[in-house]
DNA sequence: ACACTAGTTAAAGCTGACTTTAACTCATAG
DNA sequence: CTATGAGTTAAAGTCAGCTTTAACTAGTGT
């Protein structure tokens, strides 16, 4: 009789999985309570997570990183659970998220410009390239940057 | 006897100034309590702000936009009030802020890539370019994108 | 056997950044 | 003269997103 070998996927308990994903144990339980992730349970009742769960969490964190709130993620997850019928809704949601994100992104770039200008201005003062009396507004104007 | 005309700068009361800066009245008072902005007072005791205050607020909001917390802004403002002796400290603070910001910015770009890919993937499903069975992980791999 | 570490739950607490409320005054139009 | 609207203060409340606590159980190393 041949022995059947089952390729068993790696099981991560919450501590190991927390380290793997960069989240804390409590945060993982919190996400579970919110329905964002559904870990499995081994015979002894302890949670375990798989590599597939890790990919899922990473994807969620990317969505979160673009500005989606936990509530929006919950909505997304709920639609996902409903199956293909909700694909257009999910697509629409993600497109809305992207619109908001692009808007925020432009503001970030502008803020970055101002921050860089200010750093250059301070650096100029420190290095003596900019006169003691030249104000930042003047300096910005000289760069054709606003605000 | 010639009459001396003083060019008086425009005075904004809190409501008008709130509209001008996009902040709320309460937020302006909150910022004042935190020492981030010092409005002036007219004879009747009401706050007023000037265009210079507006520039200052806009600059603060840009710094805030790059990830500085209110606490960091308070530190910055405190150093500024101490005069030129703290210029290197301020420069250092802003450089630290920039380091953190650039880090976050890269993560944002990565998240953006993932979001775009996901949207394209859904779009492909909706348009029928992507087979019902092709998973997102596969799709990402086909683009040489990770996670 | 006993300590130590990791896990379990529900619930309360925390942080940052405001927002809202309460109770008031002051300036101006009708 | 009184109603309206904007301003004033201090203090309490809100919200998202965790984090901490309390009180417990279960598995592992010496």
């Amino acid at each position: 009789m041949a022995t059947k070998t089952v390729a068993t996927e790696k099981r991560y308990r919450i501590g190991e999985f927390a380290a793997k994903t960069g989240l804390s144990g409590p945060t993982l339980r919190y996400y579970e309570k919110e329905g964002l992730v559904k870990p499995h349970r081994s015979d002894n009742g302890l949670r375990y997570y798989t590599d597939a769960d890790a990919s899922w969490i990473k994807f969620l964190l990317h969505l979160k990183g673009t500005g989606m709130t936990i509530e929006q993620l919950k909505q997304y997850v709920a639609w996902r659970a409903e199956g293909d019928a909700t694909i257009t809704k999910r697509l629409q949601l993600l497109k809305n998220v992207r619109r908001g994100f692009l808007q925020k992104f432009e503001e970030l770039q502008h803020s970055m410009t101002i921050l860089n200008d200010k750093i250059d201005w301070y650096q100029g003062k420190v290095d003596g390239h900019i006169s003691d009396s030249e104000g930042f507004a003047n300096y910005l104007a000289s760069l054709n940057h606003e605000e």
Side-chain angles (χ1 to χ4, degrees), chain A residues 28-87:
Chain A
L28 283 167
R29 293 191 193 97
Y30 167 69
Y31 280 5
E32 178 180 355
K33 201 177 61 183
E34 297 302 319
L36 299 185
V37 61
K38 280 211 218 321
H40 324 272
R41 299 282 177 159
S42 38
D43 297 343
N44 57 17
L46 299 192
R47 285 175 184 79
Y48 70 87
Y49 301 80
T50 66
D51 285 310
D53 295 321
S55 305
W56 170 241
I57 289 278
K58 279 176 189 165
F59 174 61
L60 280 189
L61 291 179
H62 281 306
L63 291 187
K64 190 162 171 295
T66 63
M68 278 180 82
T69 62
I70 301 284
E71 284 308 306
Q72 285 178 305
L73 290 171
K74 281 167 77 169
Q75 175 65 85
Y76 179 80
V77 168
W79 276 336
R80 210 174 85 106
E82 284 179 43
D84 284 1
T86 62
I87 281 190

Side-chain angles (χ1 to χ4, degrees), chain A residues 63-124:
Chain A
L63 291 187
K64 190 162 171 295
T66 63
M68 278 180 82
T69 62
I70 301 284
E71 284 308 306
Q72 285 178 305
L73 290 171
K74 281 167 77 169
Q75 175 65 85
Y76 179 80
V77 168
W79 276 336
R80 210 174 85 106
E82 284 179 43
D84 284 1
T86 62
I87 281 190
T88 51
K89 284 178 179 178
R90 281 180 267 162
L91 179 54
Q92 201 49 61
L93 172 57
L94 294 188
K95 282 183 174 175
N96 287 344
V97 167
R98 180 168 60 181
R99 254 195 312 103
F101 180 76
L102 287 176
Q103 160 91 44
K104 219 186 61 186
F105 200 80
E106 289 196 11
E107 291 167 15
L108 283 177
Q109 290 186 99
H110 187 197
S111 291
M112 183 72 214
T113 304
I114 301 293
L115 175 59
N116 277 329
D117 289 347
K118 191 73 181 194
I119 286 174
D120 291 347
W121 180 75
Y122 273 128
Q123 195 71 64

